[in-house]
Amino acid sequence: MEFNENFVLGCSAIGAGLALIAGIGPGVGQGIAAGHAAAAVGRNPGAKSEITSTMLLGQAVAETTGLYGLLIGMILLFVKPLV
Amino acid sequence: MTNGILLSSVADVDFMVHGIFPYQFFGHTVWITTTHICLLIVLLVLIGFAIAARIAMKRATEVPGKFQNLVEMIVEMLDNVVKGVMGKNAAKFLNYIGTIFIFILICNISGLFGLRPPTADYGVTLPLGLLTFTIIHYNKFKHQKVKGVLKGLCSPWPIWAPINIIGDIAVPISLSLRLFANVLSGTVMMALVYGLLRAVAIVWPAALHVYFDLFSGAIQTYVFCMLTMTYITDAIGDDEA
Protein backbone atom coordinates (compact mmCIF):
# COMPACT_ATOMS: atom_id res chain seq x y z
CA MET A 1 0.00 0.00 0.00
CA GLU A 2 1.32 3.39 -1.03
CA PHE A 3 1.15 6.20 1.54
CA ASN A 4 0.94 9.64 0.05
CA GLU A 5 3.19 12.47 1.14
CA ASN A 6 0.58 14.43 3.06
CA PHE A 7 -0.22 11.45 5.25
CA VAL A 8 3.45 11.03 6.15
CA LEU A 9 3.79 14.77 6.85
CA GLY A 10 0.77 14.67 9.16
CA CYS A 11 2.17 11.68 11.01
CA SER A 12 5.52 13.48 11.31
CA ALA A 13 3.76 16.43 12.93
CA ILE A 14 2.03 14.10 15.41
CA GLY A 15 5.37 12.45 16.09
CA ALA A 16 6.99 15.83 16.72
CA GLY A 17 4.26 16.65 19.21
CA LEU A 18 4.77 13.31 20.97
CA ALA A 19 8.54 13.82 21.05
CA LEU A 20 8.07 17.03 23.01
CA ILE A 21 6.47 15.05 25.87
CA ALA A 22 10.14 14.66 26.77
CA GLY A 23 9.81 18.16 28.22
CA ILE A 24 7.98 16.78 31.27
CA GLY A 25 11.06 15.12 32.73
CA PRO A 26 13.40 18.12 32.81
CA GLY A 27 10.54 20.28 34.10
CA VAL A 28 10.03 18.04 37.11
CA GLY A 29 13.77 17.63 37.61
CA GLN A 30 14.52 21.35 37.47
CA GLY A 31 11.66 22.03 39.86
CA ILE A 32 13.03 19.54 42.37
CA ALA A 33 16.52 21.06 42.04
CA ALA A 34 15.18 24.59 42.56
CA GLY A 35 13.10 23.46 45.56
CA HIS A 36 16.08 21.84 47.25
CA ALA A 37 18.23 24.87 46.47
CA ALA A 38 15.64 27.12 48.10
CA ALA A 39 15.62 24.87 51.17
CA ALA A 40 19.42 24.94 51.25
CA VAL A 41 19.50 28.74 51.10
CA GLY A 42 16.96 28.79 53.93
CA ARG A 43 19.22 26.65 56.08
CA ASN A 44 22.45 28.41 55.15
CA PRO A 45 21.89 31.88 53.66
CA GLY A 46 25.64 32.56 53.64
CA ALA A 47 26.24 30.04 50.85
CA LYS A 48 23.65 31.55 48.54
CA SER A 49 25.89 32.32 45.56
CA GLU A 50 27.52 28.91 45.59
CA ILE A 51 24.18 27.13 45.88
CA THR A 52 22.76 29.17 43.00
CA SER A 53 25.62 28.37 40.65
CA THR A 54 25.51 24.67 41.54
CA MET A 55 21.75 24.64 40.98
CA LEU A 56 22.01 26.34 37.60
CA LEU A 57 24.71 23.91 36.46
CA GLY A 58 22.68 20.90 37.56
CA GLN A 59 19.53 22.24 35.94
CA ALA A 60 21.32 22.91 32.65
CA VAL A 61 22.61 19.34 32.59
CA ALA A 62 19.18 17.94 33.50
CA GLU A 63 17.72 19.94 30.63
CA THR A 64 19.66 17.89 28.08
CA THR A 65 17.15 15.04 27.78
CA GLY A 66 14.36 17.51 27.07
CA LEU A 67 16.51 19.16 24.42
CA TYR A 68 17.02 15.79 22.73
CA GLY A 69 13.24 15.53 22.45
CA LEU A 70 13.14 19.05 21.02
CA LEU A 71 15.79 18.12 18.45
CA ILE A 72 13.83 15.04 17.37
CA GLY A 73 10.73 17.19 16.97
CA MET A 74 12.63 19.78 14.93
CA ILE A 75 14.17 17.14 12.68
CA LEU A 76 10.75 15.58 12.09
CA LEU A 77 9.21 18.94 11.21
CA PHE A 78 11.93 20.68 9.23
CA VAL A 79 14.34 18.07 7.86
CA LYS A 80 11.45 15.71 6.96
CA PRO A 81 13.46 12.49 6.98
CA LEU A 82 10.42 10.28 6.40
CA VAL A 83 8.99 11.98 3.32
CA MET B 1 3.67 18.90 -2.47
CA THR B 2 6.92 20.41 -1.28
CA ASN B 3 6.02 22.85 1.45
CA GLY B 4 2.43 22.33 2.45
CA ILE B 5 1.30 22.77 5.98
CA LEU B 6 4.70 23.12 7.56
CA LEU B 7 5.76 26.27 9.32
CA SER B 8 8.88 26.55 7.22
CA SER B 9 6.62 27.39 4.30
CA VAL B 10 5.34 30.54 5.98
CA ALA B 11 7.39 33.18 4.24
CA ASP B 12 7.82 35.36 7.30
CA VAL B 13 9.23 32.70 9.62
CA ASP B 14 12.91 32.39 8.92
CA PHE B 15 15.49 30.75 11.14
CA MET B 16 17.25 28.40 8.75
CA VAL B 17 20.85 28.62 7.63
CA HIS B 18 20.94 30.13 4.15
CA GLY B 19 23.52 29.55 1.45
CA ILE B 20 25.01 32.79 0.14
CA PHE B 21 27.20 31.64 -2.73
CA PRO B 22 28.67 28.28 -3.78
CA TYR B 23 32.25 27.53 -4.82
CA GLN B 24 34.05 24.49 -6.13
CA PHE B 25 36.31 22.65 -3.70
CA PHE B 26 38.10 19.66 -5.29
CA GLY B 27 35.04 18.87 -7.36
CA HIS B 28 32.55 19.34 -4.53
CA THR B 29 30.13 22.23 -4.44
CA VAL B 30 30.56 23.93 -1.06
CA TRP B 31 28.34 26.73 0.14
CA ILE B 32 29.34 29.83 2.06
CA THR B 33 26.39 30.15 4.44
CA THR B 34 25.05 32.79 6.80
CA THR B 35 26.84 30.91 9.61
CA HIS B 36 30.21 31.66 8.01
CA ILE B 37 29.35 35.34 7.67
CA CYS B 38 28.12 35.66 11.26
CA LEU B 39 31.15 33.75 12.51
CA LEU B 40 33.40 36.09 10.56
CA ILE B 41 31.70 39.14 12.08
CA VAL B 42 32.03 37.71 15.59
CA LEU B 43 35.70 36.90 14.99
CA LEU B 44 36.41 40.38 13.61
CA VAL B 45 34.80 41.95 16.68
CA LEU B 46 36.83 39.70 18.98
CA ILE B 47 40.09 40.35 17.11
CA GLY B 48 39.43 44.09 17.17
CA PHE B 49 38.80 43.95 20.89
CA ALA B 50 41.93 41.87 21.41
CA ILE B 51 44.11 44.36 19.47
CA ALA B 52 42.61 47.27 21.41
CA ALA B 53 43.24 45.42 24.67
CA ARG B 54 46.82 44.70 23.63
CA ILE B 55 47.47 48.35 22.85
CA ALA B 56 45.86 49.38 26.14
CA MET B 57 47.91 46.89 28.13
CA LYS B 58 51.16 48.03 26.49
CA ARG B 59 50.49 51.49 27.85
CA ALA B 60 49.24 50.11 31.15
CA THR B 61 49.36 52.53 34.06
CA GLU B 62 49.46 52.01 37.79
CA VAL B 63 46.00 53.47 38.20
CA PRO B 64 44.01 51.76 35.42
CA GLY B 65 41.94 53.80 33.01
CA LYS B 66 38.43 52.80 31.98
CA PHE B 67 39.33 50.37 29.19
CA GLN B 68 42.28 48.87 31.03
CA ASN B 69 40.05 48.35 34.02
CA LEU B 70 37.50 46.51 31.90
CA VAL B 71 40.11 44.20 30.36
CA GLU B 72 41.65 43.46 33.76
CA MET B 73 38.21 42.73 35.18
CA ILE B 74 37.35 40.25 32.41
CA VAL B 75 40.67 38.41 32.69
CA GLU B 76 40.49 38.31 36.47
CA MET B 77 36.94 36.97 36.43
CA LEU B 78 37.79 34.18 33.99
CA ASP B 79 40.93 33.29 35.94
CA ASN B 80 38.98 33.05 39.16
CA VAL B 81 36.35 30.77 37.61
CA VAL B 82 39.00 28.43 36.19
CA LYS B 83 41.06 28.43 39.39
CA GLY B 84 37.95 27.72 41.46
CA VAL B 85 37.21 24.55 39.51
CA MET B 86 40.61 23.21 38.45
CA GLY B 87 42.72 24.22 41.45
CA LYS B 88 46.41 23.49 40.90
CA ASN B 89 45.90 22.42 37.26
CA ALA B 90 44.43 25.79 36.32
CA ALA B 91 47.56 27.48 34.96
CA LYS B 92 47.77 25.34 31.82
CA PHE B 93 44.12 25.71 30.85
CA LEU B 94 43.44 29.37 31.65
CA ASN B 95 43.99 30.37 28.04
CA TYR B 96 41.87 27.67 26.42
CA ILE B 97 38.92 27.97 28.80
CA GLY B 98 39.01 31.78 28.67
CA THR B 99 39.10 31.74 24.88
CA ILE B 100 36.16 29.38 24.39
CA PHE B 101 34.23 31.17 27.13
CA ILE B 102 34.48 34.55 25.40
CA PHE B 103 33.93 33.03 21.96
CA ILE B 104 30.79 31.08 22.90
CA LEU B 105 29.41 33.99 24.91
CA ILE B 106 29.78 36.46 22.05
CA CYS B 107 28.35 33.90 19.61
CA ASN B 108 25.32 33.30 21.84
CA ILE B 109 24.49 36.94 22.42
CA SER B 110 25.09 37.93 18.78
CA GLY B 111 21.38 37.21 18.32
CA LEU B 112 20.79 40.52 20.10
CA PHE B 113 22.51 42.35 17.27
CA GLY B 114 20.43 40.81 14.51
CA LEU B 115 22.84 38.06 13.53
CA ARG B 116 21.84 34.43 13.42
CA PRO B 117 23.87 33.01 16.33
CA PRO B 118 26.70 30.90 14.86
CA THR B 119 26.29 28.41 17.71
CA ALA B 120 22.80 27.61 16.35
CA ASP B 121 24.59 25.61 13.67
CA TYR B 122 25.77 22.12 14.56
CA GLY B 123 28.83 22.66 12.40
CA VAL B 124 30.11 25.18 14.95
CA THR B 125 29.32 23.38 18.20
CA LEU B 126 30.53 19.92 17.15
CA PRO B 127 34.15 21.11 16.63
CA LEU B 128 34.00 22.74 20.06
CA GLY B 129 32.91 19.41 21.54
CA LEU B 130 35.61 17.56 19.62
CA LEU B 131 38.27 20.01 20.85
CA THR B 132 37.23 19.25 24.42
CA PHE B 133 37.24 15.52 23.62
CA THR B 134 40.78 15.75 22.24
CA ILE B 135 42.06 17.66 25.25
CA ILE B 136 40.41 15.22 27.67
CA HIS B 137 42.00 12.20 26.07
CA TYR B 138 45.39 13.83 25.51
CA ASN B 139 45.55 14.61 29.22
CA LYS B 140 44.25 11.18 30.14
CA PHE B 141 47.04 9.44 28.26
CA LYS B 142 49.62 11.97 29.45
CA HIS B 143 48.83 11.72 33.15
CA GLN B 144 47.39 8.26 33.65
CA LYS B 145 49.59 6.51 31.06
CA VAL B 146 48.24 3.66 28.91
CA LYS B 147 47.96 1.37 31.91
CA GLY B 148 45.78 3.76 33.84
CA VAL B 149 43.54 4.41 30.84
CA LEU B 150 43.01 0.67 30.31
CA LYS B 151 42.34 0.26 34.02
CA GLY B 152 39.74 3.03 33.89
CA LEU B 153 38.16 1.45 30.83
CA CYS B 154 37.82 -1.91 32.55
CA SER B 155 36.27 -0.64 35.76
CA PRO B 156 34.50 -2.09 37.59
CA TRP B 157 34.84 -5.25 35.47
CA PRO B 158 36.41 -5.83 32.04
CA ILE B 159 32.99 -6.74 30.65
CA TRP B 160 31.94 -3.10 31.12
CA ALA B 161 34.52 -1.83 28.62
CA PRO B 162 32.05 -1.32 25.72
CA ILE B 163 29.75 0.69 27.96
CA ASN B 164 32.66 2.84 29.14
CA ILE B 165 33.73 3.45 25.53
CA ILE B 166 30.20 4.52 24.59
CA GLY B 167 30.21 6.80 27.63
CA ASP B 168 33.46 8.40 26.45
CA ILE B 169 32.13 8.95 22.93
CA ALA B 170 28.89 10.43 24.27
CA VAL B 171 30.76 13.27 26.01
CA PRO B 172 31.47 15.51 22.99
CA ILE B 173 28.11 14.67 21.42
CA SER B 174 26.10 15.64 24.48
CA LEU B 175 28.25 18.73 25.10
CA SER B 176 27.77 20.03 21.57
CA LEU B 177 24.10 19.03 21.26
CA ARG B 178 23.26 20.77 24.53
CA LEU B 179 24.74 24.07 23.39
CA PHE B 180 23.32 23.71 19.87
CA ALA B 181 19.78 22.84 20.95
CA ASN B 182 19.60 25.60 23.54
CA VAL B 183 20.68 28.33 21.15
CA LEU B 184 18.59 26.89 18.32
CA SER B 185 15.46 26.79 20.46
CA GLY B 186 15.95 30.45 21.33
CA THR B 187 16.49 31.34 17.67
CA VAL B 188 13.38 29.44 16.57
CA MET B 189 11.28 31.01 19.30
CA MET B 190 12.36 34.53 18.36
CA ALA B 191 11.76 33.79 14.67
CA LEU B 192 8.24 32.57 15.49
CA VAL B 193 7.48 35.67 17.55
CA TYR B 194 8.74 38.04 14.87
CA GLY B 195 7.24 36.04 12.00
CA LEU B 196 3.80 35.00 13.19
CA LEU B 197 3.04 37.76 15.70
CA ARG B 198 4.48 40.55 13.58
CA ALA B 199 1.44 42.79 14.09
CA VAL B 200 1.70 42.79 17.89
CA ALA B 201 5.45 42.26 18.32
CA ILE B 202 6.21 45.73 19.65
CA VAL B 203 8.67 46.34 22.51
CA TRP B 204 7.70 43.25 24.56
CA PRO B 205 9.93 40.84 22.56
CA ALA B 206 12.80 42.67 24.29
CA ALA B 207 12.00 40.68 27.43
CA LEU B 208 12.22 37.45 25.42
CA HIS B 209 15.58 38.61 24.03
CA VAL B 210 16.85 39.10 27.56
CA TYR B 211 15.85 35.56 28.46
CA PHE B 212 16.75 33.64 25.28
CA ASP B 213 19.85 35.52 24.20
CA LEU B 214 21.40 36.91 27.37
CA PHE B 215 20.33 34.61 30.20
CA SER B 216 20.16 31.31 28.33
CA GLY B 217 23.29 32.12 26.32
CA ALA B 218 25.31 33.03 29.39
CA ILE B 219 24.13 29.97 31.31
CA GLN B 220 24.97 27.61 28.46
CA THR B 221 28.40 29.21 28.03
CA TYR B 222 29.04 28.73 31.73
CA VAL B 223 27.82 25.13 31.60
CA PHE B 224 29.94 24.27 28.56
CA CYS B 225 33.12 25.66 30.15
CA MET B 226 32.28 24.17 33.55
CA LEU B 227 31.76 20.68 32.13
CA THR B 228 34.92 20.97 30.02
CA MET B 229 36.91 21.90 33.12
CA THR B 230 35.34 19.11 35.17
CA TYR B 231 36.11 16.49 32.53
CA ILE B 232 39.71 17.69 32.13
CA THR B 233 40.27 17.71 35.91
CA ASP B 234 38.82 14.23 35.99
CA ALA B 235 41.14 13.07 33.21
CA ILE B 236 44.25 14.48 34.89
CA GLY B 237 43.43 12.64 38.09
CA ASP B 238 45.60 13.30 41.13
CA ASP B 239 48.85 11.65 40.14
CA GLU B 240 50.90 14.71 41.02
CA ALA B 241 49.14 15.44 44.27
Side-chain angles (χ1 to χ4, degrees):
Chain A
M1 180 180 160
E2 187 85 4
F3 289 118
N4 75 17
E5 219 167 274
N6 291 345
F7 179 74
V8 178
L9 274 180
C11 287
S12 292
I14 295 175
L18 288 176
L20 290 183
I21 294 177
I24 294 177
V28 173
Q30 291 185 338
I32 291 175
H36 282 289
V41 173
R43 269 199 306 277
N44 184 4
K48 190 177 177 209
S49 67
E50 215 155 295
I51 291 170
T52 310
S53 70
T54 311
M55 179 193 78
L56 284 176
L57 183 69
Q59 285 183 331
V61 174
E63 205 178 30
T64 313
T65 49
L67 289 173
Y68 290 160
L70 174 78
L71 276 182
I72 300 294
M74 289 234 176
I75 289 171
L76 279 176
L77 273 185
F78 298 115
V79 186
K80 304 171 203 163
L82 301 179
V83 175
Chain B
M1 195 183 93
T2 51
N3 284 322
I5 54 171
L6 294 181
L7 261 182
S8 54
S9 69
V10 179
D12 292 343
V13 179
D14 176 31
F15 55 83
M16 291 296 188
V17 180
H18 294 289
I20 306 232
F21 62 87
Y23 65 98
Q24 295 294 322
F25 184 76
F26 294 118
H28 295 279
T29 308
V30 183
W31 283 84
I32 292 292
T33 62
T34 43
T35 304
H36 293 102
I37 307 293
C38 294
L39 208 50
L40 195 66
I41 296 173
V42 168
L43 287 181
L44 285 180
V45 168
L46 281 178
I47 291 171
F49 185 79
I51 292 174
R54 170 115 183 118
I55 292 172
M57 291 322 271
K58 263 194 174 166
R59 290 189 272 120
T61 46
E62 187 79 26
V63 181
K66 265 183 192 157
F67 187 69
Q68 189 190 342
N69 209 351
L70 177 76
V71 174
E72 282 180 359
M73 207 181 71
I74 294 173
V75 173
E76 214 164 286
M77 189 200 76
L78 289 174
D79 282 6
N80 281 338
V81 169
V82 179
K83 274 176 192 150
V85 178
M86 301 189 79
K88 63 188 164 53
N89 303 315
K92 262 195 261 173
F93 298 101
L94 283 176
N95 289 336
Y96 174 67
I97 303 290
T99 308
I100 59 168
F101 191 97
I102 295 174
F103 173 70
I104 298 176
L105 185 66
I106 301 294
C107 278
N108 285 352
I109 66 176
S110 66
L112 271 184
F113 305 103
L115 299 178
R116 187 181 186 282
T119 34
D121 187 328
Y122 197 50
V124 175
T125 57
L126 182 64
L128 288 172
L130 289 178
L131 266 178
T132 296
F133 180 77
T134 315
I135 291 177
I136 291 171
H137 283 272
Y138 173 75
N139 281 294
K140 220 180 211 174
F141 276 100
K142 189 177 169 194
H143 290 275
Q144 301 183 4
K145 307 287 183 268
V146 178
K147 201 178 153 199
V149 173
L150 285 178
K151 207 172 163 191
L153 217 53
C154 295
S155 71
W157 304 297
I159 204 166
W160 280 47
I163 298 176
N164 285 331
I165 291 174
I166 293 175
D168 280 351
I169 295 173
V171 165
I173 298 176
S174 77
L175 264 181
S176 53
L177 275 182
R178 179 178 303 125
L179 182 60
F180 165 66
N182 262 293
V183 182
L184 181 71
S185 66
T187 310
V188 170
M189 217 86 85
M190 292 319 296
L192 288 180
V193 167
Y194 283 127
L196 297 180
L197 301 178
R198 174 162 291 178
V200 289
I202 307 163
V203 180
W204 61 265
L208 292 181
H209 269 299
V210 169
Y211 179 77
F212 287 125
D213 288 333
L214 284 180
F215 181 72
S216 186
I219 292 279
Q220 288 310 316
T221 311
Y222 179 70
V223 166
F224 189 95
C225 294
M226 204 56 133
L227 287 176
T228 301
M229 287 188 280
T230 315
Y231 283 130
I232 293 175
T233 314
D234 221 36
I236 290 177
D238 41 23
D239 58 346
E240 288 163 325

